[in-house]
């Protein structure tokens, strides 16, 4: 009995101790649980932060890859002669980059929207940049190969101002002038509106048709009227009509590469649809019957003869700028008229032979941004003396008909939208035969 009670007491004591130990363990575990949970949450937050940083870094690298890929494709398109404004292919980023992209994205789809906007931005920048250079290039070549049809409205204003001193008399005692001193001044203003249609048959061949309408007003002044140096006779002569219609064919002979420029050949034919300057009568409008002051009854609007043009233009792209040049030759065909005399009392049939014209030019155009470009160029036209021939007589050269018209041009091109471009050009005469200044506005609309 005593052994049984002792065994029972030992067993109770062991059970009590085990229960106490179990209670202690549960207390310790319940104390450590909050600390472990907080640590896990901190680890998760750190991993999320690192993941977000990796996503941002990945988006930046994808952006860089897309921009570089767009630039490479634009250069390849330019070197191979393709249109640089074509949309970028769908595989703008290598497939390995797409395959390794994370399956999850930032909250709200930030990463996907960033990638889409990045691709669109790169594509827009490439096409816009090439649009600015392409506009300047096509303006200098006067040909649009990348668009099927282009309708262009041009408005050109020219201003001339010439003054000459005329001495009619002799020197007495080698120091005293006896006679009349007169100052002749001629100012001319002309406004020309051109309707131009350009049709690209192929990416290398285009046709141009130019129909101008010309209005001209010329003011004639002569000093010394009635023998008085203070008196001035003045008379204005005007004229407006359709000008000479011009038809040209442009053929792209060579496409630009790293070592050679774009080369375009131009063949043109000008019809004498305007009012010819031959046979226009000059009338004496002097205020005194003892002097002569003759002015034409009307102003011409064309050359009056058929002309053929052969030229070539060269364009080399040095992004963001282009260098261009042109050279050409204009041949005028002999034409007969029923009257070539300026005397109102005389009618003289005869023929006219205009001298051939040689022209050349060179310049530089620089693209400011995706839409605007500025150009600076020099152009010159040189011709010899023209000739007249009365029927049955020999040719006679017209004194003072030779000319050398050099002009310095500054132009600005702005792409209004994907179809319309605005071009303005200011020309400043550098020789007496060139207009004092020329102001041109062009608005080509591309279909």
């Amino acid at each position: 009995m005593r052994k049984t009670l002792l065994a029972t007491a030992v067993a109770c004591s062991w059970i009590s101790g085990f229960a106490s130990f179990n209670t202690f363990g549960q207390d310790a575990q319940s104390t450590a649980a909050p600390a472990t949970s907080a640590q896990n949450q901190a680890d998760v937050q750190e991993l999320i932060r690192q993941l977000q940083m990796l996503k941002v870094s990945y988006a930046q690298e994808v952006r860089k890859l897309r921009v570089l890929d767009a630039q490479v494709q634009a250069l390849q398109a330019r070197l191979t002669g393709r249109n640089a404004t074509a949309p970028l292919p769908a595989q703008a980023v290598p497939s390995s980059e797409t395959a390794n992209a994370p399956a999850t994205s930032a909250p709200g789809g930030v990463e996907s929207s960033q990638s889409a906007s990045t691709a669109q931005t790169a594509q827009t920048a490439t096409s816009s940049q090439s649009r600015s250079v392409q506009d300047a290039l096509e303006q200098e070549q006067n040909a649009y190969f990348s668009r099927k049809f282009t309708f262009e409205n041009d408005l050109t204003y020219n201003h001339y101002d010439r003054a000459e001193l005329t001495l009619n008399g002799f020197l007495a005692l080698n120091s005293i002038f006896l006679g009349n001193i007169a100052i002749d001044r001629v100012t001319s203003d002309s406004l020309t509106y051109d309707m131009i249609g350009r049709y690209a048959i192929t990416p290398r061949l285009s046709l141009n048709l130019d129909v101008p309408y010309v209005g001209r007003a010329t003011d004639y002044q002569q000093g010394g009227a009635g023998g008085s140096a203070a008196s001035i006779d003045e008379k204005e002569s005007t004229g407006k009509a359709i000008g000479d219609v011009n038809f040209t064919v442009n053929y792209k002979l060579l496409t630009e590469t790293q070592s050679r420029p774009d080369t375009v050949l131009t063949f043109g034919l000008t019809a004498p649809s305007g009012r010819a300057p031959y046979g226009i009568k000059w009338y004496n409008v002097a205020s005194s019957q003892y002097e002569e002051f003759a002015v034409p009854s009307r102003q011409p609007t064309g050359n009056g003869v058929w002309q053929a043009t052969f030229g070539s233009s060269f364009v080399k792209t040095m992004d963001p700028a282009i260098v261009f040049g042109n050279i050409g030759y204009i041949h005028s065909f002999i034409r007969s008229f029923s009257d070539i005399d300026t005397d109102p009392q005389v009618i003289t049939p005869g023929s006219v032979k205009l001298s051939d014209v040689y022209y050349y030019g060179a310049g530089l155009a620089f693209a400011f941004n995706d839409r605007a470009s500025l150009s600076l160029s020099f152009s010159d036209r040189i011709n010899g003396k023209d000739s007249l021939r009365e029927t049955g007589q020999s040719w006679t050269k017209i004194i003072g008909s030779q000319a050398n018209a050099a002009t310095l041009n500054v132009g600005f091109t702005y792409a209004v939208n994907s179809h319309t471009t605005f071009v303005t050009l200011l020309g400043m005469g550098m020789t007496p035969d060139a207009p004092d200044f020329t102001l041109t506005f062009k608005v080509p609309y591309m279909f």
Side-chain angles (χ1 to χ4, degrees), residues 9 25 27 44 62 82 86 147 160 167 183 200 226 239 261 268 281 314 383 400:
D27 295 339
V44 170
V62 169
R82 295 180 296 161
R147 300 296 183 107
Y160 294 83
L167 303 178
I183 297 178
K281 303 305 182 180
F314 312 92
N383 66 272

Side-chain angles (χ1 to χ4, degrees), residues 80-390:
T80 56
R82 295 180 296 161
N83 185 10
T85 61
L88 297 176
Q91 295 83 3
V93 178
S95 58
S96 60
E97 295 291 337
T98 306
N100 294 331
T104 58
S105 60
V110 175
E111 181 185 359
S112 60
S113 62
Q114 285 181 347
S115 300
S117 62
T118 301
Q120 185 177 2
T121 303
Q123 177 177 345
T124 304
T126 303
S127 60
S128 299
Q129 182 182 15
S130 59
R131 169 69 192 276
S132 179
V133 176
Q134 187 76 9
D135 282 342
L137 183 148
E138 291 173 338
Q139 283 295 323
E140 300 307 330
Q141 289 179 332
N142 291 322
Y144 289 79
F145 297 105
S146 60
R147 300 296 183 107
K148 195 65 176 178
F149 180 73
T150 302
F151 179 75
E152 182 174 315
N153 294 280
D154 291 4
L155 188 63
T156 303
Y157 170 73
N158 288 315
H159 177 75
Y160 294 83
D161 192 344
R162 300 289 180 268
E164 294 181 356
L165 178 65
T166 303
L167 303 178
N168 185 12
F170 61 94
L171 284 177
L173 303 177
N174 294 327
S175 60
I176 301 175
F177 178 78
L178 300 178
N180 293 328
I181 300 177
I183 297 178
D184 295 336
R185 182 179 181 183
V186 178
T187 59
S188 178
D189 298 281
S190 65
L191 192 64
T192 303
Y193 170 69
D194 292 89
M195 292 184 295
I196 305 175
R198 310 182 192 273
Y199 180 74
I201 300 177
T202 69
R204 286 183 174 269
L205 182 65
S206 70
L207 305 179
N208 296 353
L209 180 63
D210 181 1
V211 181
Y213 189 85
V214 182
R216 179 177 287 119
T218 303
D219 185 72
Y220 299 88
Q221 297 179 12
Q222 177 176 290
S228 173
S231 300
I232 296 177
D233 281 334
E234 183 178 14
K235 184 66 176 179
E236 185 181 57
S237 175
T238 62
K240 56 182 179 180
I242 190 173
D244 291 343
V245 176
N246 184 34
F247 175 77
T248 58
V249 178
N250 300 300
Y251 178 73
K252 182 180 287 189
L253 182 64
L254 298 174
T255 302
E256 179 184 0
T257 63
Q258 277 189 322
S259 59
R260 72 184 183 204
D262 243 6
T263 303
V264 176
L265 300 181
T266 300
F267 306 89
L269 183 64
T270 302
S273 54
R275 182 182 297 155
Y278 319 106
I280 295 179
K281 303 305 182 180
W282 288 57
Y283 294 91
N284 186 16
V285 294
S287 57
S288 172
Q289 59 179 341
Y290 302 105
E291 60 178 323
E292 279 192 24
F293 178 40
V295 298
S297 58
R298 57 183 181 178
Q299 291 293 315
T301 60
N303 291 323
V305 299
W306 288 88
Q307 292 181 317
T309 302
F310 175 75
S312 180
S313 60
F314 312 92
V315 177
K316 187 71 175 70
T317 305
M318 299 178 180
D319 205 7
I322 62 172
V323 179
F324 57 88
N326 63 76
I327 187 171
Y329 166 77
I330 301 175
H331 175 72
S332 300
F333 298 93
I334 299 174
R335 189 184 180 194
S336 298
F337 294 87
S338 59
D339 186 14
I340 60 173
D341 207 307
T342 60
D343 191 340
Q345 308 299 325
V346 178
I347 295 178
T348 305
S351 301
V352 176
K353 180 173 65 175
L354 298 185
S355 174
D356 293 337
V357 178
Y358 300 89
Y359 67 88
Y360 64 93
L364 172 70
F366 181 81
F368 284 125
N369 50 41
D370 56 346
R371 290 191 174 187
S373 63
L374 180 71
S375 64
L376 180 65
S377 64
F378 170 83
S379 60
D380 193 12
R381 293 170 60 96
I382 303 174
N383 66 272
K385 291 183 178 180
D386 303 328
S387 300
L388 293 176
R389 180 181 63 184
E390 298 181 7

